[in-house]
């Protein structure tokens, strides 16, 4: 499985200020207690966003599949809260709830800006 990190990563309150350490642990495949990932998978038919526990995430995606990690949270309630926060932000900025389109557009813009 290949992981890419959303440049504007959403972080639950529990992991605020600890995101770099958490990201290193995820990349290394080390377990983080109660870690949930909000993920955008490459196939739009697979929903807009999905929430996985860390252990399930590492087992569900194939080695060839690319996943964009959009958010990290401690526990399912915090992950759901982040999802509400994301939806609210997208709605206020665009008037709609097309999270996939919004995230991919922002990621593309951020990547282009980083290359200049």
């Amino acid at each position: 499985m290949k992981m890419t990190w959303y440049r504007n990563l959403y972080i639950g309150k529990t992991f605020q200020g600890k995101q770099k350490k958490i990201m290193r642990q995820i990349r290394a495949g080390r377990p983080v207690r109660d870690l949930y990932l909000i993920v955008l998978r490459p196939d739009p038919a697979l929903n807009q966003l999905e929430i996985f526990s860390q252990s399930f995430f590492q087992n569900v995606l194939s080695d060839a599949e690319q996943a964009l990690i959009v958010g990290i949270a401690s526990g399912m309630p915090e992950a759901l809260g982040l999802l509400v926060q994301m939806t609210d932000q997208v709605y206020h900025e665009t008037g709609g709830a097309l999270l996939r389109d919004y995230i991919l557009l922002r990621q593309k813009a951020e990547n282009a800006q980083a290359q200049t």
Side-chain angles (χ1 to χ4, degrees):
M1 153 200 37
K2 299 172 187 169
M3 290 182 281
T4 304
W5 295 91
Y6 184 50
R7 289 188 171 272
N8 297 301
L9 187 68
Y10 291 88
I11 303 154
K13 290 179 184 177
T14 304
F15 292 136
Q16 293 275 324
K18 302 174 189 173
Q19 61 264 30
K20 290 185 191 249
K21 178 182 177 183
I22 299 294
M23 291 167 73
R24 279 194 307 272
Q25 290 176 303
I26 293 169
R27 278 191 213 105
R30 284 183 269 158
V32 178
R33 188 168 185 259
D34 292 328
L35 175 65
Y36 280 75
L37 304 165
I38 301 172
V39 177
L40 181 65
R41 290 172 71 177
D43 184 354
L46 294 174
N47 302 319
Q48 290 202 43
L49 293 170
E50 295 179 271
I51 300 174
F52 295 105
S53 67
Q54 180 188 17
S55 59
F56 187 69
F57 172 75
Q58 291 172 333
N59 293 324
V60 75
L61 298 178
S62 70
D63 289 337
E65 187 172 2
Q66 180 77 27
L68 176 62
I69 300 175
V70 177
I72 57 175
S74 178
M76 182 59 87
E78 192 171 273
L80 291 171
L82 274 181
L83 196 54
V84 169
Q85 177 186 338
M86 286 180 227
T87 305
D88 189 50
Q89 178 183 358
V90 171
Y91 180 77
H92 285 296
E93 289 184 25
T94 68
L98 298 174
L99 277 68
R100 169 180 284 284
D101 295 344
Y102 176 86
I103 289 167
L104 292 176
L105 188 62
R106 280 195 74 186
Q107 184 78 346
K108 185 177 179 181
E110 291 284 333
N111 286 342
Q113 188 176 22
Q115 291 176 356
T116 58

